[in-house]
């Protein structure tokens, strides 16, 4: 436990020691702004909720989260620090979890910095704040899912660009499988069970479901299982490829 | 202490490593006791770093194993890693961290806390003369200073086994001297392996030398015995004799 904390602290610290953190946060806030007010017509809708804010999060994360995750392991491998890390008295599991938590914590900070929009909507109207809290939780869980995928992929290669591209593609598949466009293709001819199965793999399905304000334990479990699965794969990949 | 006296600090048992077709380390065995400084010599690509990586628990051997203070590196890697100070080849460290933050991180992960941590860091900073660069980020340091930060990391927790891959590479003559003196001072109670291409270093600090080429041990003895292998009583000449005696196709890690 203590080692996880130490790794996490170091990692989080180095986000803020480089421009990465600031660039990410600025881009994140800027993009959420554009999406919410411009594409989402926050004002024109004339409704006191943050729907127009949250509905774009999956698409924002699709590009921004792999950008954070890509460096997690590929940089360690490229610079050779992985040899230092892996000869310290810690387990691979501790290192993987510590790094993941640091990245997750970082996205939580970025997400928390969107609070002015929450204040705004409370100032302008009378929104259902439990729905908003649920939406934030949904968004954070989804970010964790994206990050776990990105972290695992970044352990596969020393090249951050490759890690980024592959992560985006895999994350895209995880979004896509719940998209009405894709589900419509199956609608009508495929058995409902198959459609449900495909949809249930999607970030979108679970994100939307939590976002409605009713927190279903199955949606939470989905994200926890998904994150655990990818981190487990991450551990195996690091072990197999650390020295190559 | 009595237990440590009985078992060798480092015991390498029939280590073997293949990278696909490359047979990098072949059936290497040796042991090092406390109080010994072993110089690990050999041409480029001989398998020195690979052997050290296996002892330090970074690479898994294809076969064979290494024991450190009685712990088997494949069975109890954490115990082995706790008792070793390891300097990887090229002394990698986190460039975006300041020297002080980096040493703090190493101390924390090695379980050194509170006042003890301050003492440890102060001591090592003084020993390696890092006072002037403490608040500088590592990536902005000169090559020699980076190496020194790596050395500081290696000895910070006062480990009783040291494995250092080319510790003096890139250091200025004064620092080379400092580091050699430091190694000699530490030698009494520790077991130390250093790899080097500087043969005078063997004379200066090592109590024993192993020459390895193409993954095999070709010589194991004292510096004086090594010197005696040459007609001119010259250590460079002895090194050449031993390593060039190999058939041409085995000059490097040969395919098999
Ligand atoms: N990850 C790897 N994948 C494939 N081959 C490797 C790998 N690491 C080392 N080798 C090979 O193993 C052999 C031994 O390499 P090693 O780094 O141990 O040599 P060395 O004795 O440390 O050489 P130097 O004096 O140049 O540092 C070389 O032929 C090298 O190409
Ligand atoms: Mg080497």
């Amino acid at each position: 436990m203590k080692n996880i904390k130490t790794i996490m602290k170091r990692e989080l610290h180095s986000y803020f020691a480089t421009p990465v953190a600031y660039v990410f946060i600025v881009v994140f806030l800027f993009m959420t702004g554009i999406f919410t007010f411009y594409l989402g017509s926050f004002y024109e809708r004339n409704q006191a909720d943050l729907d127009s804010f949250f509905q774009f999060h999956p698409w924002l994360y699709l590009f921004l989260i792999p950008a954070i995750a890509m460096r997690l392991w590929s940089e360690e491998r490229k610079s050779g620090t992985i040899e230092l890390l892996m000869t310290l008295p810690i387990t691979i599991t501790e290192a993987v979890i510590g790094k993941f938590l640091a990245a997750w914590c970082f996205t939580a900070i970025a997400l928390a910095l969107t609070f002015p929009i929450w204040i705004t909507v409370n100032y302008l109207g009378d929104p259902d704040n439990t729905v908003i809290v649920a939406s934030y939780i949904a968004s954070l869980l989804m970010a964790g899912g994206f990050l776990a995928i990105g972290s695992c992929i970044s352990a596969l290669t020393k090249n951050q660009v490759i890690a980024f591209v592959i992560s985006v593609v895999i994350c895209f598949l995880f979004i896509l499988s719940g998209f009405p466009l894709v589900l419509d293709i199956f609608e009508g001819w495929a058995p409902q069970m198959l459609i449900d199965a495909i949809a249930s793999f999607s970030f979108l399905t679970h994100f939307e479901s939590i976002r409605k304000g009713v927190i279903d334990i199955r949606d939470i479990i989905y994200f926890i299982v998904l994150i655990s699965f990818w981190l487990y794969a991450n551990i195996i990949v690091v072990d197999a490829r650390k020295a190559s | 202490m009595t237990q440590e006296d009985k078992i060798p600090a480092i015991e390498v048992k029939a280590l073997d490593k293949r990278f696909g077709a490359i047979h990098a380390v072949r059936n290497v065995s040796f042991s090092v006791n406390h109080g010994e400084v072993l110089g690990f010599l050999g041409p480029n690509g001989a398998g020195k770093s690979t052997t050290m990586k296996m002892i330090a628990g970074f690479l898994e051997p294809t076969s064979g194993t290494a024991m450190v203070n009685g712990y088997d590196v494949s069975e109890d890697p954490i115990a082995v890693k706790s008792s070793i100070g390891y300097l990887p080849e090229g002394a990698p460290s986190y460039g975006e961290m300041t020297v002080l933050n980096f040493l703090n991180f190493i101390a924390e992960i090695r379980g050194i806390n509170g006042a003890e941590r301050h003492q440890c860091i102060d001591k090592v900073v003084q020993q390696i003369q890092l006072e002037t660069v403490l608040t500088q980020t590592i990536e902005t340091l000169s090559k020699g200073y980076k190496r020194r930060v790596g050395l500081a990391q290696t000895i910070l927790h006062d480990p009783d086994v040291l494995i250092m891959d080319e510790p003096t590479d890139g250091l200025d003559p004064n620092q080379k001297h400092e580091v050699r003196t430091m190694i000699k001072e530490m030698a009494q109670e520790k077991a130390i392996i250093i790899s080097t291409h500087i043969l005078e270093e063997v004379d200066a600090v090592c109590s024993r030398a192993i020459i390895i080429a193409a993954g095999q041990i070709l010589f194991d003895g004292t510096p004086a015995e090594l010197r005696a292998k040459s007609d001119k009583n010259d250590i460079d000449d002895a090194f050449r004799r031993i390593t060039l005696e190999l058939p041409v196709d085995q000059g490097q890690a040969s395919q098999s």
Side-chain angles (χ1 to χ4, degrees), chain A:
Chain A
M1 253 343 252
K2 216 187 124 282
N3 289 340
I4 293 178
K5 202 181 118 211
T6 309
I7 299 280
M8 179 180 159
K9 237 173 51 188
R10 194 211 72 75
E11 196 74 26
L12 198 55
H13 203 277
S14 69
Y15 279 112
F16 289 97
T18 58
V20 176
Y22 306 99
V23 169
F24 178 86
I25 288 175
V26 168
V27 170
F28 179 72
L29 295 180
F30 181 72
M31 297 291 278
T32 46
I34 291 196
F35 278 139
T36 309
F37 294 104
Y38 195 69
L39 292 172
S41 322
F42 178 70
Y43 289 120
E44 290 79 354
R45 287 173 66 240
N46 234 337
Q47 284 186 20
D49 62 33
L50 286 181
D51 250 20
S52 54
F53 168 66
F54 284 110
Q55 87 186 59
F56 294 108
H57 279 200
W59 305 104
L60 211 55
Y61 286 165
L62 177 59
F63 292 98
L64 290 181
I65 300 270
I68 308 187
M70 68 183 186
R71 53 175 289 286
L72 278 176
W73 289 98
S74 26
E75 191 161 282
E76 277 306 324
R77 283 184 53 197
K78 181 148 196 169
S79 67
T81 45
I82 193 163
E83 189 171 348
L84 175 74
L85 190 66
M86 293 288 121
T87 50
L88 291 171
I90 57 166
T91 62
I92 296 178
T93 308
E94 287 167 335
V96 165
I97 294 176
K99 274 170 167 284
F100 168 77
L101 288 180
W104 206 10
C105 202
F106 176 70
T107 46
I109 294 172
L111 195 58
L113 286 175
T114 61
F115 72 92
I117 196 159
W118 190 359
I119 295 176
T120 307
V121 77
N122 269 287
Y123 176 75
L124 293 176
D126 187 22
D128 185 347
N129 279 317
T130 49
V131 170
I132 295 180
V133 170
S135 301
Y136 268 111
I137 291 173
S139 182
L140 192 58
L141 283 171
M142 187 172 59
F146 278 95
L147 271 175
I149 294 175
S151 177
C152 177
I153 302 300
S154 96
L156 279 170
T157 167
K158 284 181 190 171
N159 187 316
Q160 297 199 21
V161 176
I162 294 177
F164 175 80
V165 173
I166 296 178
S167 300
V168 169
V169 169
I170 294 180
C171 290
F172 188 52
L173 292 177
F174 268 88
I175 294 183
L176 214 59
S177 67
F179 211 56
L181 237 157
V182 173
L183 294 179
D184 283 349
I185 299 174
F186 295 93
E187 206 76 55
W189 61 270
Q192 191 59 36
M193 239 176 67
L194 180 68
I195 297 175
D196 288 347
I198 293 170
S200 74
F201 265 116
S202 169
F203 285 160
L204 227 48
T205 316
H206 299 275
F207 175 63
E208 294 299 338
S209 148
I210 304 176
R211 209 155 76 79
K212 290 196 187 90
V214 259
I215 296 185
D216 185 338
I217 191 73
R218 279 172 301 181
D219 295 320
I220 309 273
I221 288 175
Y222 164 80
F223 282 112
I224 291 172
V225 168
L226 183 101
I227 291 171
S228 311
F229 169 82
W230 281 98
L231 289 186
Y232 182 67
N234 193 347
I235 292 165
I236 292 173
V237 171
V238 171
D239 194 25
R241 301 192 58 100
K242 61 187 177 196
S244 56

Side-chain angles (χ1 to χ4, degrees), chain B residues 11-16 28 61 63-67 71-75:
Chain B
E11 194 176 2
V12 172
K13 293 177 179 169
L15 268 190
D16 210 271
V28 163
S63 66
T65 191
M67 315 276 290
Y71 298 110
D72 189 319
V73 71
S74 11
E75 278 159 23

